[in-house]
Amino acid sequence: MKKQMRVKFLNLLVVCLVLSQAEAAEKVIKLPLPKYKSDTSVEEAIFKRRSIRRYKEETLGFQEVSQLLWAAGGKTIDGVTGATRAYPSAGGIYPLEIYLVVGNVKGISPGVYHYSWHDHTLSLKKEGDLRQELTAASLNQRMVLEAPVSLVFAAVYSRTTLRYGRRGELRYVPMDVGGAGQNVHLQAESLGLGTVIIGAFSDRAVKEVLELKDEEPLYIMPVGRPR
Ligand SMILES: Cc1cc2nc3c(=O)[nH]c(=O)nc-3n(C[C@H](O)[C@H](O)[C@H](O)COP(=O)(O)O)c2cc1C
């Protein structure tokens, strides 16, 4: 009898494991490959870039989101060291984690997603349209509510401070996010989209919305079609 119970329990455990693995697999979204060429020169993008704070009520495409995330911190190959990242990072440490708060994107249901640069995928962290909550956390800066998506850069400071101490905290991590944010600005410009860096927000509230534990939010970048 005891043995039967044990077998039943083990079977149940296997079923649960398989189901949870299937569920996790379902919530990983493979993004289309980014494009490495466009009709906009880097000079033109730099020249035209502006902070854009009003967006049309229009859906963003899957390819556009893929491109923005790649520019934010996706994989690049330099032919010498192999895989590296789209933005420069002190010591090649890359303390930034990138999140996508989705409101209105074709093919991606509303929610909070984590971007995995290695395999260019999004993993669902929290379901539902959280733009209202993120706007409130951003001191009611309404571009967050209007934008179909927002990219959020958060830093794991310890990655950098372990090697560089206080200099890593005061200088290198903020410098890293500057480069990544500018990439998103220029990529948005090249795609005919608009964005703005938001640095004024409640750290605690943003962490709550995104359920961040050991990461500190640094930039929120809403992206949409300029009005
Ligand atoms: C670190 C940082 C934080 C910023 N925070 C905000 C913000 O909270 N809200 C906002 O509307 N713009 C914010 N901005 C955008 C600036 O206001 C904007 O870059 C500046 O006015 C220059 O305009 P431009 O980007 O169009 O050249 C921020 C920019 C940076 C670099």
Side-chain angles (χ1 to χ4, degrees):
M1 185 62 182
K2 257 190 174 172
K3 195 179 170 196
Q4 265 182 337
M5 289 274 280
R6 221 178 307 141
V7 170
K8 265 191 185 169
F9 175 73
L10 280 174
N11 281 343
L12 194 68
L13 201 67
V14 169
V15 169
C16 285
L17 273 173
V18 169
L19 280 178
S20 69
Q21 271 179 351
E23 202 185 351
E26 247 177 41
K27 289 175 182 170
V28 174
I29 298 171
K30 183 97 193 134
L31 293 161
L33 284 178
K35 296 194 167 83
Y36 306 126
K37 282 202 159 88
S38 82
D39 294 335
T40 310
S41 69
V42 69
E43 293 82 359
E44 205 181 332
I46 293 169
F47 188 70
K48 288 188 175 165
R49 184 211 62 82
R50 281 279 74 82
S51 292
I52 306 292
R53 298 179 175 85
R54 300 304 309 270
Y55 315 108
K56 290 182 185 160
E57 245 181 75
E58 281 180 16
T59 307
L60 227 57
F62 208 27
Q63 185 70 45
E64 288 170 317
V65 164
S66 158
Q67 200 69 36
L68 287 162
L69 287 165
W70 170 74
K75 194 197 283 186
T76 56
I77 311 277
D78 67 8
V80 181
T81 53
T84 175
R85 308 281 302 270
Y87 66 92
S89 173
I93 289 172
Y94 304 102
L96 304 176
E97 294 297 326
I98 302 166
Y99 294 91
L100 191 72
V101 177
V102 175
N104 186 10
V105 176
K106 199 164 182 225
I108 309 179
S109 54
V112 177
Y113 295 82
H114 176 257
Y115 174 61
S116 163
W117 70 277
H118 238 287
D119 47 9
H120 199 51
T121 57
L122 282 173
S123 306
L124 181 65
K125 205 167 183 271
K126 206 171 164 182
E127 262 172 323
D129 189 346
L130 291 158
R131 287 180 293 176
Q132 192 93 52
E133 288 81 346
L134 192 61
T135 304
S138 312
L139 316 180
N140 287 318
Q141 300 196 60
R142 70 167 177 186
M143 49 278 206
V144 176
L145 189 62
E146 249 181 37
V149 291
S150 282
L151 277 82
V152 181
F153 289 96
V156 182
Y157 273 85
S158 57
R159 284 186 202 153
T160 301
T161 55
L162 209 63
R163 190 186 302 177
Y164 296 115
R166 200 153 159 71
R167 192 175 180 81
E169 180 189 341
L170 294 180
R171 298 205 181 187
Y172 296 161
V173 172
M175 287 169 175
D176 276 18
V177 80
Q182 180 72 351
N183 274 5
V184 175
H185 250 304
L186 297 180
Q187 181 66 80
E189 185 58 48
S190 158
L191 293 169
L193 302 172
T195 187
V196 59
I197 287 169
I198 293 183
F201 51 76
S202 153
D203 297 355
R204 185 195 46 76
V206 172
K207 284 177 81 163
E208 234 171 72
V209 176
L210 269 73
E211 290 179 359
L212 303 179
K213 286 193 185 78
D214 305 321
E215 296 156 60
E216 295 301 324
L218 292 174
Y219 278 1
I220 298 174
M221 296 187 73
V223 188
R225 291 186 211 293
R227 261 204 204 180

